[in-house]
Amino acid sequence: VGALGPAPSAASAASAAPEGAAWSVVPAPDATAPQDQFSAVSCATARACTAVGHMISRGGTQVPLAERWDGVRWVIQSVPGSGSLEGVSCPSARACMAVGGDLAERWDGVSWVIEDVPGPGGLTAVSCRSAIACVAVGGAVVESWNGASWAVQATISDGSASLQLAGVSCPSARACVAVGVDNSGHEGEPAPVAAIWNGAAWTLHDPAWPLDAALAAVSCTSATACVAVGNQANGVVAERWNGRRWAIQGAPGGGFLTGVSCPSARLCIAVGEDGGHKALAERWNGSKWALQRTHGPGNAGLAGVSCVSARGCAAAGGYVDTARGGQVTLAERWNGTAWAVQRSAGDPAGPQPSFLSAVSCTSARACTAAGGFGGQYPSFSGGTLAERWNGSRWVIQRTPNPAGATFSELSGVSCSSATSCTAVGIRADEATLAERWNGRTWVIQRTPNPASSSFSELNGVSCSSATSCMAVGQYYSGSHGGYAPLAERWNGSKWVIQRAPGSGLLNGVSCPSARFCIAVGEDGAYQTLAERWDGSTWVIQHTAGQSELVGVSCTSARACTAVGGVAERWNGRAWAIQPAPLPAGSQGSLLDAGGVSCGTLLACTAAGRYYTLTLGPQALVAYWNGTTWVIQPTPEAGALLSGVSCTPHGECFAVGSNDIGTQVVVERRP
């Protein structure tokens, strides 16, 4: 989260189609006075983000501001000292370092503590590989943290007294890149600068950009893959470092970019302001930059962005609230399919948000849907949700929550019979969750988590019998270098982790037998991912899509259908893309964030959502008749459908929530 940047002008927005889904404003809680602003944000996981900046105290002085996102809400933290925090880096959910001016503060998982900083001060940015290894920059000075104290590492000099470093990124102990501006460059015009650390010394490398330019932020995925952003006289600046030289990237739009985050070498999000006092967001897909549509208020700007994966980013800054007569904080969050509003402590109490994520039917009279609910302000307590269809109505079932958890949710469910269902998801402590229905009650099952993980989640599950289930998801590990697929198997008595190769995440799984499963997702570089279980090991399969797969359904080992940004079909030998129609005016993926269910080999139903620039997210249901996909009308156009289950006789249930996530939605096809 950071200060907002300019939004694209009407002309530039019209000339470049926004890429991806729309952005929407995420209100964040403001402190005591309307002079609050975020300058930076860092996310250790999708459920642990810290935003820093400043606010005006009741006494009228400027003091540091820090707020933390816990997966449910933003919460203001108590921060000592005076002044403003300009940069933050969180290598884990329990460790953050924030800097600003001559101030450095460390979060140890419980409280913020001031750490003494030597040198002239003026710190603006920080990058931490771990809790005991951080590098901060400001002015021409580089300082390092060893877990016990800060020390001046180097003073960068190009013979000028006006060099100002503004951003830094350190992908390893032997690789750091710092960027900024020399305000007294050639003929007195500002000139961009970049300094490279090779493990032994800092060396200046001139970026490949004309004069009158400045770089504000940088993000590196490795020593040979960095992206730096900023502005120059004619608009925004984006440059790429390949380990040898800088190259200009053609980023569209006017104004300036103030923050960038690259979860992979082929995906970056940059934010800023477009010069017309509107929020600006741009996306790099590995070959080009494209504008993303933002929906923020006027007089707004984004100052920072942090992405933990291709589907988990937070951006923030501030905007002028004319009704309140001052600057207030702004936060937005990306979940891989849309930027969604986050409830903040300052919001009035409203309907308790409830949602259903998945559904499983064993007959037309026996279906189970699973999801979650978020409690109302001020407690924000919430938890898992399960509902059961008995042939005439849906009834809420009582589900347990892990002891001490304030919020847990279920993402997938599979029933092998009317008296045997398994639901999976995530606990409030960012660990895997599984619950089992035995025909009478739901019971929490003990699930393992990878030893090196700081975040683990199960997204989907498939049970071929009461004693054989496979659940898939992802986990985050610093030692692994990012997100990796996670697979766990239920053998009738316990859950056991099964090694899933590759990187990225798995969203859905289908197991027509105990010895065959297909799991689908995204490989971390926005390429479709499919893996096959043969009863003993998982093997990556070649897929043809450049997108993400969110659901899969197999009627046999030789017939599977997967959907997401594309639709693909497995014939027992290879995956092939199926042409699928898009609704008129749609912008984005065909069945984003949805699912698919195949009652027979030649009959599949997929449910999800699509996006339009005028109407926003809309419900989408498509039917595969053995030859083509056909769009079917739905009764609630604004519903967000996320799961579907069909019987061999053609009855289907689709579940989700309304467009603001406050009420569950269930649709049925008799």
Side-chain angles (χ1 to χ4, degrees):
V1 179
L4 298 181
S9 64
S12 63
S15 63
E19 180 178 328
W23 294 63
S24 60
V25 174
V26 180
D30 297 315
T32 56
Q35 294 295 331
D36 316 316
Q37 181 169 314
F38 290 130
S39 299
V41 63
S42 181
C43 299
T45 72
R47 297 175 180 271
C49 298
T50 295
V52 300
H54 67 265
M55 65 181 182
I56 304 301
S57 70
R58 294 184 186 276
T61 61
Q62 188 182 80
V63 295
L65 171 64
E67 296 187 21
R68 188 163 181 85
W69 170 254
D70 61 5
V72 181
R73 58 172 179 157
W74 285 97
V75 179
I76 295 175
Q77 296 179 304
S78 176
V79 185
S82 61
S84 176
L85 294 173
E86 304 297 328
V88 64
S89 181
C90 301
S92 74
R94 297 180 178 272
C96 297
M97 186 70 74
V99 300
D102 58 359
L103 183 65
E105 302 207 26
R106 179 174 57 87
W107 169 257
D108 60 7
V110 178
S111 61
W112 286 96
V113 180
I114 294 176
E115 301 290 349
D116 291 333
V117 179
L123 297 177
T124 57
V126 61
S127 177
C128 299
R129 302 187 317 277
S130 70
I132 60 172
C134 300
V135 172
V137 298
V141 175
V142 180
E143 299 195 25
S144 61
W145 167 259
N146 62 9
S149 62
W150 282 97
V152 174
Q153 186 185 52
T155 299
I156 311 298
S157 176
D158 62 350
S160 167
S162 300
L163 189 147
Q164 297 287 329
L165 297 175
V168 63
S169 180
C170 300
S172 73
R174 296 180 176 271
C176 292
V177 174
V179 299
V181 62
D182 183 352
N183 287 309
S184 61
H186 181 67
E187 298 181 355
E189 297 291 338
V193 295
I196 312 296
W197 168 257
N198 61 8
W202 286 90
T203 306
L204 285 172
H205 288 258
D206 290 335
W209 200 264
L211 300 177
D212 196 20
L215 295 174
V218 62
S219 180
C220 302
T221 55
S222 71
T224 59
C226 300
V227 170
V229 299
N231 70 288
Q232 54 104 17
N234 297 322
V236 301
V237 170
E239 298 195 36
R240 189 164 185 85
W241 170 254
N242 65 4
R244 300 180 305 277
R245 63 185 182 88
W246 290 93
I248 298 169
Q249 293 178 310
F256 52 87
L257 295 170
T258 53
V260 63
S261 183
C262 303
S264 73
R266 301 185 64 181
L267 174 66
C268 297
I269 297 290
V271 299
E273 185 179 337
D274 72 350
H277 304 298
K278 298 285 188 179
L280 172 65
E282 300 194 22
R283 180 183 175 96
W284 167 258
N285 65 4
S287 60
K288 66 177 182 178
W289 285 95
L291 294 172
Q292 290 185 308
R293 189 180 184 190
T294 61
H295 291 289
N299 295 317
L302 292 169
V305 62
S306 180
C307 301
V308 296
S309 70
R311 59 183 224 150
C313 300
Y319 70 98
V320 176
D321 188 338
T322 55
R324 299 177 60 187
Q327 177 92 10
V328 295
T329 53
L330 175 67
E332 303 186 22
R333 189 165 185 84
W334 169 258
N335 65 3
T337 56
W339 288 89
V341 172
Q342 293 172 306
R343 178 182 292 271
S344 68
D347 290 343
Q352 181 168 281
S354 302
F355 60 90
L356 294 172
S357 300
V359 61
S360 180
C361 299
T362 56
S363 74
R365 295 178 177 271
C367 297
T368 296
F373 68 92
Q376 295 176 317
Y377 172 79
S379 67
F380 286 94
S381 61
T384 57
L385 173 64
E387 301 190 15
R388 188 162 183 83
W389 171 255
N390 61 10
S392 60
R393 64 191 181 105
W394 286 91
V395 179
I396 293 179
Q397 296 177 306
R398 183 178 180 182
T399 55
N401 285 283
T406 57
F407 189 88
S408 300
E409 66 182 55
L410 298 171
S411 302
V413 64
S414 179
C415 300
S416 56
S417 72
T419 59
S420 179
C421 297
T422 296
V424 299
I426 186 170
R427 299 159 49 111
D429 57 359
E430 299 177 347
T432 55
L433 173 64
E435 300 191 10
R436 187 163 185 83
W437 169 255
N438 59 13
R440 299 180 304 278
T441 60
W442 284 95
V443 180
I444 293 177
Q445 296 178 306
R446 184 178 180 181
T447 55
N449 294 276
S452 60
S453 69
S454 58
F455 169 88
S456 301
E457 179 179 24
L458 295 173
N459 298 321
V461 62
S462 180
C463 299
S464 56
S465 70
T467 59
S468 180
C469 298
M470 188 71 75
V472 299
Q474 75 261 22
Y475 71 96
Y476 183 85
S477 171
S479 61
H480 185 85
Y483 278 90
L486 174 62
E488 300 189 9
R489 186 165 184 261
W490 170 254
N491 60 13
S493 60
K494 65 177 181 178
W495 286 94
V496 180
I497 293 177
Q498 306 288 336
R499 183 182 178 276
S503 59
L505 54 97
L506 295 172
N507 291 315
V509 61
S510 182
C511 302
S513 73
R515 299 182 62 85
F516 180 85
C517 299
I518 293 287
V520 299
E522 188 256 323
D523 68 356
Y526 207 58
Q527 300 291 320
T528 54
L529 172 64
E531 301 194 11
R532 178 172 56 87
W533 168 258
D534 62 5
S536 60
T537 59
W538 283 98
V539 178
I540 294 177
Q541 296 179 304
H542 174 72
T543 57
Q546 185 176 6
S547 182
E548 179 178 12
L549 295 173
V550 295
V552 62
S553 181
C554 301
T555 55
S556 73
R558 297 186 177 184
C560 299
T561 296
V563 300
V566 295
E568 300 194 29
R569 190 163 182 85
W570 168 257
N571 63 5
R573 299 180 304 276
W575 285 94
I577 292 179
Q578 292 177 314
L582 282 172
S586 65
Q587 301 284 326
S589 299
L590 171 65
L591 292 157
D592 230 352
V596 62
S597 179
C598 299
T600 67
L601 173 65
L602 301 179
C604 297
T605 297
R609 68 195 74 172
Y610 69 97
Y611 299 88
T612 70
L613 296 180
T614 56
L615 299 177
Q618 298 289 295
L620 175 62
V621 174
Y623 176 73
W624 172 258
N625 60 15
T627 306
T628 61
W629 284 98
V630 180
I631 295 176
Q632 296 180 312
T634 58
E636 294 190 57
L640 305 180
L641 301 176
S642 55
V644 62
S645 182
C646 301
T647 71
H649 301 291
E651 305 98 341
C652 293
F653 278 96
V655 301
S657 67
N658 62 359
D659 59 354
I660 57 175
T662 58
Q663 295 178 333
V664 299
V665 168
V666 179
E667 297 190 9
R668 181 187 181 201
R669 187 181 69 196

